[in-house]
Amino acid sequence: MFNTLSDRLTSTFKNLRGKGRLSESDINATIRDIRLALIDADVATPVVREFTGRVRERALGAEVSGALNPAQQVVKIVNEELIAILGGQTRNLQLAKSGPTVIMLAGLQGSGKTTFAGKLARFLRDQGHFPVLVAADLQRPNAVTQLEVVGDRAGVPVFAPERGNIGGHDVVADDVEGTRSYGDPVWVAQAGVAQAKVRQYDVVIVDTAGRLAVDENLMQQARDIRDAIQPDEVLFVIDAMIGQAAIETALAFSEGVDFTGVVLSKLDGDARGGAALSVASVTGRPIMFSSTGEQVKDIEVFHPDRMASRILDMGDVLTLIEQA
Amino acid sequence: ARSNSAIGKALLGLLAKGELSDADWEEVEDVLLGADLGASATTELVDRLRARVAVEGTPTAEQLHDWLHAELLTLVDPSMDRRIAATRVGDRPAVLMVVGVNGTGKTTTVGKLARVLVAQDKKPVLGAADTFRAAAADQLQTWGARVGVPTVRSDKEGADPAAVAFDAVKAGSDQHADVVLIDTAGRLHNKVGLMDELRKVKRVVEKQSPIDECLLVLDATTGQNGMQQARIFSEAVEVTGVVLTKLDGTAKGGIVVLVQRELGVPVKLVGLGEGPDDLAPFDPSAFVDAVLN
Ligand SMILES: Nc1nc2c(ncn2[C@@H]2O[C@H](COP(=O)(O)OP(=O)(O)OP(=O)(O)O)[C@@H](O)[C@H]2O)c(=O)[nH]1
Ligand SMILES: Nc1nc2c(ncn2[C@@H]2O[C@H](COP(=O)(O)OP(=O)(O)OP(=O)(O)O)[C@@H](O)[C@H]2O)c(=O)[nH]1
Ligand SMILES: [Mg+2]
Ligand SMILES: [Mg+2]
C-alpha cells in the first residue's frame, strides 16, 4: 500500500517514463490515483468528481512538454487547478470607507471563532487599527467570559453588555432546549457597532455562537445579526479537520449569512485540509486566513500554493516539477 | 423508506439494465465516502459486495441496501461492550477522563454525562483539568451548576492540570462520590509537548486511583484525520471508548467505523445537541441506517 500521493504517483511515473504523449489510459491511471488522494485528504466527493473531470479534459488537450513526463504533466495541471480554485491570489480585508469596518464571524460549534476573533483583533491592532470585540454568543456556557479572556490576551477591548449563559440557569427546568440565548445577540451586535462609532474604534469584530447547518432557527438568528449590522466582511470559520460535511456546511452558511470570506482553522494539526478545496469550489468565496494555533499570534494570511501541496501531500513531487 | 435511501437513489433505474457498471459502483462508493468512511474501508466493502453480486446475481436496490447494511453492521460490531464505568469500584469512586482535539465537545460531554448520572441518583464530581483554554473552568463549572454537581477547579489560570485532576479525584474520594469526571484541555495529537502533558495527568491521577474510563471525544464532522487522532490518543492514554459528538448535524461520523476496526475501541456515546439531555448511548443499527440514508 502507498500512503501518499507522492508514493503512488512515483510508481505511476515509473510505468510512464519515456512515453512522449499522454494517452487516455495514462491519464486515467494518474487521475485514479489523484481521486484517491483527494478523497483521503477529505475533499468532498462531488468536488473530487468535478475536479478530476476538468483535469482530465485539460490533460487530454495538453501540449507535450519536453521536460515533463506524462504523469508529471497531469500533476502540474492538477496543482495549477487546485491553486486556481483555492484563490489565485490572496484577497485583503475589505475596509469600510467611512465609519468602523464591521466584521462578523460565523461557523459550526467549536470551529475556532472566538479564538480567531482575538487573533484577528491583534493582527489588526498590530497594523495600527483600533479594534473592539463584541460578545454576541450568549448561548454557549461562558462564551462571554471566554471572549473577555481572549480580548485581554490580545490587548483589545471587549464590548460585553450581556453575560450570556452563566451559572446553571436550568438546573430545575425539565423542558430546556439545548440551543437558546440568554439575552438578545442581535441587540448586542448592534449596540457594539453603535458603541464603536461613539468611541471611535475603527474595526468591530463580532463573535457569534456556533450553529449547525441544519438549525434553521439559529441560522435565522445569524442572518438577523447580519441584517442588523450590515458587516463589511462575514468570515466563515471552518475547522481544517472537517470531512465530507464541508460542502453542506459551507452551502448552508453561504445561504444563511452569505459569507464573504473563509478562515481555515487548526491548520497546525496534521489534517490535509481538503475541506479548503470543497468550500472554495462550491461557494467561490476566497479563503483569507489560516488559524494555526491556540495563541493570539497564531494567524496567517492564507497561501493557496502551500495549501495545494498540503492537500496533495506531495511537496517533493511538485518541487521536481518546478525544477523541470 | 428504503427506496429513498441514498443507496436506493444511487441505484434507482440503473438496476433495470440488468448489471452494474463501474460508474454505478462508483455511486455506491460515493455514498460510503460521503459518510467519511474513507477510501480503504469503502473499497473493501464495495469489493466484497461486487464479489457477492458475481455469485448471487444482480440484486434489487433493496437487496443491495440490505447487504450493505449487514456488512457495515458487522464492521460496527453490535456485540461490543459499550457500558460506561461510572459506579464505585470497591470503596473508591470510578475515575473517568475525557480527551480529544480542540473543540470536539469534551466539556459539554462531561456536563451532559453528569446530568445522566444525577438522573440515575449517582453522585459525580467534576474536575476542571483544562487550565489552559480561556474560561474553560468557568464553562465546566457552569455545566456543574446547571446539573447541580460540584466542580473542583483551580482559580489560577495556567495551573498544573495534573494537580487539578489529582485534587478532583481526592475530593471525589473524600466526598464519597460515585464517579469523578475529569475534563481535559483540547490538544492536537501532533503536538508532542501537549501529549506529554496528558500522559502526566494520567500518571499523576494513577498515583491515587486507577482510571476506569478514558473517553476520546470525536466530532462527527471529522474527516480522515480522526483515525490519526484516535491512534495517537490511544497510544498516549489508553482510550477505552469513543464519544461521537454533533451527530445532530449533517455529518454521519463514518470515521468511527475505521477507529473501531483498527483500534477495537467501541463508540459508547453520541452527542445530539448542546443541551443537558442531548447525550445517548451509541446504537449500531441506527448508526448504520444513518450512514446509508
Ligand atoms: N490547535 C489549534 N486550536 C485552535 C485553533 N483555533 C481554535 N482552537 C481551539 O479550538 C477550541 C475551540 O475554539 P473556539 O474559539 O472556542 O471555537 P468557537 O468556534 O468559538 O466555539 P463555539 O463558540 O463553541 O462554537 C479551543 O480549544 C481553541 O483553543 C487553531 O488554529 N489551532
Ligand atoms: N450541535 C452540537 N453541538 C455540540 C455538541 N457537543 C458540543 N457541542 C458544542 O460544541 C462547542 C464546543 O464544545 P466544548 O464542550 O466546549 O468542546 P471541548 O472539546 O471541550 O473544547 P476545548 O476544550 O476547547 O477543546 C460548544 O459550542 C458546544 O455547545 C453536540 O453533540 N451537538
Ligand atoms: Mg465561541
Ligand atoms: Mg473544553
Side-chain angles (χ1 to χ4, degrees):
Chain A
M1 267 302 280
F2 299 117
N3 286 322
T4 66
L5 180 61
S6 298
D7 294 344
R8 288 204 205 102
L9 286 175
T10 309
S11 87
T12 311
F13 285 167
K14 274 197 197 108
N15 302 330
L16 296 180
R17 192 162 291 152
K19 288 197 183 176
R21 204 172 193 347
L22 294 171
S23 77
E24 193 161 349
S25 69
D26 294 344
I27 291 171
N28 286 342
T30 313
I31 285 198
R32 181 156 177 82
D33 287 342
I34 287 165
R35 174 174 180 261
L36 286 177
L38 292 175
I39 281 165
D40 280 344
D42 292 320
V43 181
T45 53
V47 175
V48 172
R49 195 173 280 232
E50 201 200 300
F51 183 82
T52 50
R54 204 163 43 239
V55 168
R56 179 180 281 124
E57 218 166 88
R58 253 192 82 184
L60 278 171
E63 293 287 310
V64 188
S65 149
L68 299 180
N69 75 32
Q72 283 173 326
Q73 229 163 316
V74 177
V75 171
K76 183 162 178 283
I77 292 170
V78 168
N79 192 46
E80 284 167 8
E81 287 283 329
L82 267 178
I83 293 174
I85 292 178
L86 291 172
Q89 72 261 3
T90 36
R91 180 169 78 73
N92 289 324
L93 278 175
Q94 209 157 323
L95 300 177
K97 295 204 176 65
S98 66
T101 298
V102 178
I103 302 171
M104 171 179 169
L105 305 180
L108 292 178
Q109 286 91 345
S111 59
K113 297 173 291 300
T114 306
T115 310
F116 182 75
K119 297 176 184 183
L120 183 61
R122 174 58 167 265
F123 177 83
L124 291 169
R125 199 198 76 170
D126 288 348
Q127 292 184 352
H129 290 282
F130 295 96
V132 61
L133 292 162
V134 175
D137 176 357
L138 307 179
Q139 170 184 314
R140 173 247 184 86
N142 282 91
V144 175
T145 323
Q146 185 193 359
L147 189 70
E148 283 171 340
V149 175
V150 162
D152 197 46
R153 289 179 187 170
V156 165
V158 178
F159 178 74
E162 292 270 6
R163 299 314 303 157
N165 183 357
I166 51 166
H169 294 68
D170 31 335
V171 183
V172 284
D174 280 335
D175 56 341
V176 179
E177 292 291 324
T179 45
R180 64 177 230 196
S181 290
Y182 299 84
D184 181 0
V186 180
W187 174 79
V188 170
Q190 236 166 350
V193 175
Q195 163 99 348
K197 284 181 183 151
V198 175
R199 299 252 174 113
Q200 313 252 302
Y201 294 114
D202 68 342
V203 183
V204 185
I205 300 169
V206 181
D207 183 32
T208 66
R211 60 201 81 231
L212 294 173
V214 288
D215 191 330
E216 276 166 27
N217 289 339
L218 280 183
M219 202 55 93
Q220 181 62 47
Q221 179 201 75
R223 196 174 306 134
D224 291 344
I225 295 177
R226 188 191 208 288
D227 291 347
I229 60 176
Q230 301 281 324
D232 301 281
E233 296 274 12
V234 179
L235 300 182
F236 170 54
V237 182
I238 185 167
D239 189 323
M241 291 178 276
I242 195 173
Q244 300 284 325
I247 286 201
E248 268 176 283
T249 306
L251 287 175
F253 276 91
S254 168
E255 221 170 84
V257 294
D258 192 19
F259 58 84
T260 56
V262 181
V263 177
L264 205 54
S265 71
K266 306 182 198 172
L267 266 175
D268 47 327
D270 56 6
R272 304 262 293 286
L277 188 66
S278 305
V279 173
S281 122
V282 298
T283 68
R285 294 286 183 258
I287 302 169
M288 296 174 65
F289 292 99
S290 311
S291 200
T292 55
E294 298 189 70
Q295 313 282 357
V296 80
K297 57 174 198 330
D298 299 328
I299 172 175
E300 285 170 29
V301 170
F302 181 76
H303 294 286
D305 49 343
R306 280 190 220 162
M307 196 64 213
S309 82
R310 177 177 179 135
I311 291 173
L312 288 176
D313 190 18
M314 49 181 291
D316 43 344
V317 174
L318 291 176
T319 315
L320 278 177
I321 292 173
E322 273 153 25
Q323 283 164 354
Chain B
R2 275 218 185 129
S3 52
N4 285 331
S5 73
I7 292 287
K9 256 185 263 161
L11 297 180
L12 218 62
L14 299 172
L15 288 157
K17 288 181 298 188
E19 65 184 46
L20 295 163
S21 69
D22 283 350
D24 299 337
W25 282 112
E26 218 168 88
E27 297 218 15
V28 177
E29 261 176 33
D30 279 357
V31 171
L32 299 173
L33 292 171
D36 290 310
L37 224 63
S40 70
T42 295
T43 319
E44 200 180 294
L45 268 173
V46 169
D47 283 350
R48 257 209 306 276
L49 279 182
R50 291 185 84 146
R52 187 159 179 186
V53 170
V55 175
E56 298 187 33
T58 307
T60 63
E62 193 162 312
Q63 253 172 340
L64 188 73
H65 178 282
D66 289 347
W67 292 355
L68 208 45
H69 193 284
E71 293 278 3
L72 268 169
L73 200 57
T74 310
L75 276 183
V76 176
D77 192 358
S79 72
M80 281 179 136
D81 185 357
R82 299 175 198 275
R83 285 171 300 182
I84 302 283
T87 38
R88 283 179 75 85
V89 184
D91 59 353
R92 65 166 179 88
V95 176
L96 180 153
M97 179 163 97
V98 297
V99 301
V101 301
N102 307 83
T104 54
K106 293 174 291 300
T107 307
T108 307
T109 298
V110 168
K112 294 176 189 173
L113 196 53
R115 163 78 147 220
V116 171
L117 294 168
V118 166
Q120 295 173 354
D121 279 331
K122 286 189 187 133
K123 187 177 167 196
V125 166
L126 311 185
D130 178 356
T131 58
F132 177 76
R133 174 227 176 111
D138 299 326
Q139 185 192 357
L140 187 70
Q141 198 168 20
T142 295
W143 268 106
R146 193 177 202 176
V147 300
V149 161
T151 301
V152 176
R153 61 174 290 180
S154 164
D155 290 325
K156 224 172 63 229
E157 209 182 283
D160 178 8
V164 178
F166 185 90
D167 289 348
V169 174
K170 173 127 196 342
S173 172
D174 292 349
Q175 296 171 23
H176 300 281
D178 289 291
V179 55
V180 180
L181 307 175
I182 302 172
D183 183 28
T184 65
R187 66 199 76 226
L188 292 174
H189 51 281
N190 61 334
K191 307 235 162 141
V192 177
L194 294 180
M195 293 309 286
D196 282 345
E197 179 193 84
L198 189 62
R199 282 190 196 90
K200 184 181 158 199
V201 171
K202 177 175 156 75
R203 227 172 28 239
V204 170
V205 166
E206 282 174 345
K207 284 187 185 155
Q208 195 175 189
S209 163
I211 293 176
D212 304 283
E213 191 87 68
C214 179
L215 297 175
L216 173 71
V217 181
L218 272 181
D219 187 323
T221 61
T222 313
Q224 299 309 297
N225 191 245
M227 192 58 229
Q228 199 60 9
Q229 295 170 25
R231 220 177 261 138
I232 297 178
F233 274 101
S234 285
E235 273 166 25
V237 289
E238 284 175 76
V239 171
T240 57
V242 171
V243 182
L244 188 60
T245 58
K246 309 185 194 175
L247 262 188
D248 46 327
T250 52
K252 306 275 174 71
I255 188 67
V256 296
V257 173
L258 300 189
V259 171
Q260 276 204 178
R261 187 181 65 163
E262 285 198 26
L263 301 176
V265 176
V267 186
K268 292 188 167 177
L269 298 167
V270 297
L272 296 166
E274 298 185 77
D277 295 320
D278 297 327
L279 188 72
F282 176 73
D283 175 344
S285 187
F287 172 81
V288 170
D289 279 340
V291 166
L292 296 179
N293 280 298

